Amino acid sequence: LTDFAEPVRNGGWWPSKPDVLVFGRDAGGNEQAQLYRLDPGAKEPVLLTDPARTHRPLALNRAHDRLLVASTDVDKAGGRRENPTLDVTLVDPLDPAGAQKIATLPGTGWGDFSFSFDDRRLAMSEFRSVTETYVWVMDLATGERRRVLPAPGADPARTVASTEVNFSRDGRGLFLTTDRDGEFQRASYLDLATGALEAFGPANWDVEQLALSRDGRTIALVINEAGVGVLRLLDADTRRELPRPQVPIGAVGSVQWHPDSTVLAFNLDSSRSPGDVYVLDVAASRVSRWTESKVAGLDASRFAVQTPIEWKSFDGRTITGFIARPPVQFTGKRPVMIQIHGGPEGQARPGFIGRWNYYVNELGVAIIEPNVRGSTGYGKSFVSLDNGMKREDSVRDIGALLDWIATQPDLDPARVVVAGGSYGGYMSLAVATTYSDRIAGAIDVVGIANFVTFLERTETYRRDLRRVEYGDERDPAMRAFLERISPVNNAAKIGKPLFVAHGKNDPRVPYTEAEQIVEIARRNGTPVWYLLAANEGHGFAKKENADFYYYATIRFLQETVLKER
């Protein structure tokens, strides 16, 4: 494995033969993932999947002797096409030749696969957008598939989003989260015979993870309370909350039950701890810390702590975010870096900010992470406020943030850099074209510069999902709108330095998006820094590239907002 140049992911020992390792791997940073088996003493892994397609592991069956794998064509091998499909296959890594394809599903937005306890049925969700998903149950013997939520005949105009699907141990129902009856994702039980839906647990926050123990008797919930992941346990039969575990301060994530259902592992992220592993003994209600991340010479107690902020936008709506302020030794008004999350169906949350601590603690730059309209965590109405022709309203939320910065006695509105990756990269470019006179520079990482060419060139298996969010470029009116708001067509308005970084193998946002904005901005006389990583995809995964980008960003800040005035 030391000879593998690309990231290895999703690795694990095979349950029925625990000295065999099964893992996935990216190819050239382009997400053309393949699955491999590594046998004891072997120097080379065995390829389990078709190298011409992209694959992802979905779930283990209850017997733990088969792996459910999804696969679809990639444009390089299969050509661009409309109406892509997803093949779902049961694979025994010890006998890959006996793989059994159980379904070809329409579209590629399928997830949350869960086997019934007798391995005869499979539940799954069909994702069409962040506000529209469908839950299905499939008979594995016949391949027959039945939609169970929303029920057939439900009002098609009333979209529902559901996720975290788990079969109950008796097979009569599904535990899941859904926003069918409100703004937020609530933990719920769906009776498969009657269609009755029973909600339980909190109603005013999103449940972002629902994990059923392997014996089917206990439910672990992770609840997004104002951006912080909070752990709760419930009895699966009564839906009543069990005694709350005493978890240290921080955000819980990546919950996973032990096969014997007695202990629960999870990550805990905080401003001073980057996702350490904790384990909860359920019966004793005792939490143990299993890892302690430390770097020699670094005092984690000095790391920045984010605090919540809010401001009023152009339409009177309250927008929120988090700020990390420099320590007290930095006097006077401090420069600001606005870091806009991607997605756009994402959320800035308090937690470990890693290398950004250097910007705050050593450079004296305040970091603001806004949750503009379209962010998750604030209800399904809020997440839809930037869809289609409302796209620029989220940019205006940043304009209102610039107004807020100007009212803060410790922040310098004349020294603001806006940055972001992926959709956040588009937002950074859009702010640079809309509010050029109010910022000192912009950083665009793997961002969208032209919505039309992005939608035409993104990998086929992603295109339909992105059309729902951004608009369908095949519609003349929408195409004209997307052309009008695209940063490449407004690049003449960029009057401050621009730093563009991209991976040449990016299948999500092709590097040609970076090429377009760099060429046009330079032609207009804008100072442009351009970093293209030939061996990266959607973001920089290799340390040497991440390091180079990080040092270049420090230099960019020194040239834009840290110069003596």
Side-chain angles (χ1 to χ4, degrees), residues 482-553:
L482 293 173
E483 292 277 15
R484 180 179 66 78
I485 70 169
S486 289
V488 291
N489 296 322
N490 297 279
K493 301 175 184 176
I494 303 177
K496 302 296 171 59
L498 175 64
F499 180 15
V500 177
H502 219 107
K504 194 169 185 180
N505 298 323
D506 192 340
R508 300 187 181 193
V509 181
Y511 82 98
T512 48
E513 294 298 298
E515 298 277 316
Q516 291 180 71
I517 195 67
V518 167
E519 178 187 356
I520 294 174
R522 282 178 172 168
R523 189 189 310 153
N524 292 332
T526 301
V528 179
W529 300 22
Y530 183 29
L531 175 59
L532 180 66
N535 58 349
E536 293 284 7
H538 195 62
F540 289 5
K542 296 179 173 62
K543 186 177 186 303
E544 62 269 24
N545 296 329
D547 287 348
F548 194 98
Y549 166 71
Y550 173 61
Y551 299 136
T553 301

Side-chain angles (χ1 to χ4, degrees), residues 181-316:
D181 299 323
E183 280 289 314
F184 294 93
Q185 287 286 324
R186 291 199 67 185
S188 303
Y189 174 80
L190 176 67
D191 187 305
L192 292 175
T194 67
L197 189 69
E198 171 202 351
F200 55 93
N204 55 343
W205 301 108
D206 278 332
V207 175
E208 58 187 8
Q209 188 171 0
L210 186 156
L212 184 66
S213 61
R214 192 174 179 193
D215 64 7
R217 298 184 182 279
T218 311
I219 299 171
L221 300 180
V222 178
I223 303 162
N224 182 346
E225 296 186 6
V228 177
V230 177
L231 179 64
R232 298 284 183 264
L233 298 180
L234 296 93
D235 182 282
D237 292 330
T238 65
R239 283 39 129 201
R240 292 178 180 173
E241 186 169 346
L242 300 173
R244 294 190 179 184
Q246 297 302 305
V247 177
I249 296 174
V252 172
S254 303
V255 167
Q256 184 172 341
W257 284 97
H258 190 279
D260 68 10
S261 301
T262 63
V263 294
L264 183 74
F266 57 89
N267 285 343
L268 188 72
D269 181 74
S270 71
S271 61
R272 292 165 182 170
S273 173
D276 276 308
V277 178
Y278 288 74
V279 170
L280 167 67
D281 183 317
V282 176
S285 194
R286 182 177 64 248
V287 175
S288 303
R289 183 172 182 170
W290 277 27
T291 66
E292 188 166 357
S293 302
K294 289 184 177 181
V295 177
L298 282 182
D299 180 6
S301 67
R302 295 182 58 243
F303 288 172
V305 175
Q306 298 148 295
T307 56
I309 59 175
E310 62 180 42
W311 62 96
K312 294 289 186 182
S313 194
F314 66 95
D315 56 356

Side-chain angles (χ1 to χ4, degrees), residues 291-363:
T291 66
E292 188 166 357
S293 302
K294 289 184 177 181
V295 177
L298 282 182
D299 180 6
S301 67
R302 295 182 58 243
F303 288 172
V305 175
Q306 298 148 295
T307 56
I309 59 175
E310 62 180 42
W311 62 96
K312 294 289 186 182
S313 194
F314 66 95
D315 56 356
R317 187 177 301 274
T318 297
I319 307 298
T320 63
F322 297 91
I323 186 170
R325 285 183 160 93
V328 294
Q329 67 261 32
F330 291 99
T331 59
K333 289 179 174 289
R334 303 312 307 162
V336 179
M337 175 185 278
I338 300 174
Q339 285 277 358
I340 306 175
H341 67 70
E345 307 98 338
Q347 183 185 15
R349 304 175 67 170
F352 191 71
I353 62 173
R355 290 177 165 185
W356 292 359
N357 278 289
Y358 185 86
Y359 305 151
V360 179
N361 283 348
E362 305 300 329
L363 300 182

